[in-house]
Every structure is written in C-alpha cells, then in structure tokens.
Amino acid sequence: MTLRVGLLGGTFDPIHFGHLRSAVEVREYLALDELRLIPNATPPHRDSPGATAQQRLEMVCLATASDDQLLVDDCELRRERPSYTVETLEALRAELGAEATLFLIVGWDAFCGLPGWHRWESLLELASLVVLQRPEQDQELPEVLKDLLAARSVGDASALTATCGEILCLAQTPLAISATHIRSLISAGRSPRFLLPDSVLGYIETNGLYRP
Ligand code: ATP
C-alpha cells in the first residue's frame, strides 16, 4: 500500500469545527494514513485585527492536540514569503515521493476561486482534489471548472485510483460555521462557544484576539 495523505490548507483565523469535522470525515472516508492541516501565510494586512501567523498556528496545534492522526504542517509559515499552494505540493511530492497519493482538500468556495490560483492547472499534476460542500455555498462555478469536473471527477472514493489528477466532490456533515462569523461574534461581544474547541476559545480570550 502506498502512503495516502490529505492536505487541508487554510487561514484558520481561527480554526473551527467546520474544518475539524471535515478533516476527520475525509480522513475516514478516504482511509488516509495522515491528514495535514497547513496554515497559510497571509499578507500583513490580513493579519490585522485578526491573529498573527504564529497565533493561527498555535490555535491549530491546540485544536488538534488530542488527535494524533491530525498533523499540523507549518511549512508555509517557515518560508520567507507567502507561498503558492502549487509550490507547497511540489515540496510535499519531493518529501513523500511519486508513489504517494496526495489529496488537496478544498471547500466549495475555495474551489470556485481555483482559476485565480498561481499555476492552478499544475495542481492536478501533483494531487487529486477533494471538494467539500459548504452549507451556504452560493458561488457560481466558472465554466472552466465545469469542464474540469466533467473530465476529472469520480463518483466515490472507490473510483479514486490515481496518485493525482482526479476530483471527488464530497458531501459531509453540513456545518454552517465560518471564521468570519466567529470573528464578528467576538467583535460584537458575543460568544462563539461550541463553534470551535474550548481550547481555541480559551487562547482567543487569553490573547484578546478579534476584539474591536
Ligand atoms: P474565513 O471566513 O475567514 O474566510 P473560513 O471559515 O472559510 O475562513 P478558511 O481557513 O479560509 O476558513 O478555510 C480553509 C478551508 O476549509 C477552505 O478550503 C474552506 O472552504 C474550508 N472550510 C472552511 N469552513 C468550512 C466548513 N464549515 N465546511 C466545509 N469546509 C470548510
């Protein structure tokens, strides 16, 4: 059996149960050996008034501390400049080898924006895509992605046979949770409790994050 690795990148500002539940369900459904959460570096303006890259990383570590199959990979934060996903996948390919099966996991909103990503057509030469449904998804799929889905999508996990290049759209437990909503609750003095782990909420309170 070759190594099967799932990669869930995100700003995680902050990480919440929408991310965590999706990660667990994808891991089980695809029988992954490991699932890596990869906090993205963001331009400085995105960090204010939210959390710094280091704080976002610490919250992801806290959220996953009790699950040894959810790994945190800080490769994008260790680079000197914000990196493109395609470069991260190239680095992971170099690390894991050509035989590994890589799955890049993205929410529907992120998938709709894919044609704007640097060298986006190369992503499928490096990994397969798992597209997660989101309850409030209202973006229209660009034509180019409709064509891509027609050519590359498979019906279920058993039809995923390649190490890269395939697309699976996955319905999982719908959780209408977003980091934007959590930040706006806190900024309005309201509680985001039970939308994210208590450990992460404790960190947010201790560090005074997302307050007006
Ligand atoms: P923000 O509201 O700040 O844009 P977010 O909640 O969308 O943040 P991100 O860190 O941007 O969180 O998301 C990382 C990845 O997880 C993206 O591919 C996104 O589509 C997906 N995702 C986030 N929340 C959910 C959710 N509730 N259900 C399914 N996928 C999700």
Side-chain angles (χ1 to χ4, degrees), residues 16-186:
H16 53 68
F17 285 136
H19 303 125
L20 292 161
R21 186 64 212 163
S22 297
V24 168
E25 292 188 15
V26 172
R27 184 185 72 203
E28 287 185 344
Y29 186 65
L30 297 183
L32 300 180
D33 297 297
E34 57 183 65
L35 193 145
R36 299 189 188 194
L37 294 140
I38 306 180
N40 302 147
T42 49
H45 67 266
R46 178 71 165 73
D47 279 343
S48 180
T52 64
Q54 183 60 31
Q55 288 170 329
R56 292 185 289 107
L57 172 64
E58 285 173 18
M59 290 190 279
V60 175
C61 290
L62 280 172
T64 55
S66 62
D67 187 326
D68 57 13
Q69 288 178 68
L70 291 183
L71 307 180
V72 185
D73 189 334
D74 66 352
C75 62
E76 294 200 0
L77 302 184
R78 279 188 272 109
R79 297 202 192 112
E80 278 169 14
R81 59 180 174 83
S83 48
Y84 297 111
T85 300
V86 68
E87 295 170 346
T88 300
L89 287 179
E90 284 169 342
L92 287 164
R93 266 279 164 227
E95 177 194 332
L96 301 170
E99 299 79 33
T101 302
L102 296 188
F103 297 101
L104 179 64
I105 304 160
V106 293
W108 177 260
D109 54 317
F111 180 63
C112 290
L114 207 68
W117 294 20
H118 182 59
R119 289 172 50 210
W120 71 276
E121 280 152 315
S122 300
L123 295 170
L124 280 165
E125 293 162 14
L126 294 156
S128 287
L129 274 177
V130 176
V131 183
L132 306 173
Q133 309 296 310
R134 286 187 76 164
E136 286 157 353
Q137 62 189 40
D138 48 12
Q139 289 96 329
E140 174 72 18
L141 197 62
E143 285 302 321
V144 66
L145 293 182
K146 287 183 188 161
D147 295 344
L148 188 72
L149 277 181
R152 304 287 193 116
S153 69
V154 300
D156 61 42
S158 65
L160 286 168
T161 52
T163 55
C164 62
E166 297 171 322
I167 304 177
L168 177 69
C169 294
L170 204 56
Q172 75 291 23
T173 306
L175 292 172
I177 303 173
S178 72
T180 302
H181 181 54
I182 291 172
R183 293 194 301 273
S184 68
L185 283 174
I186 297 170

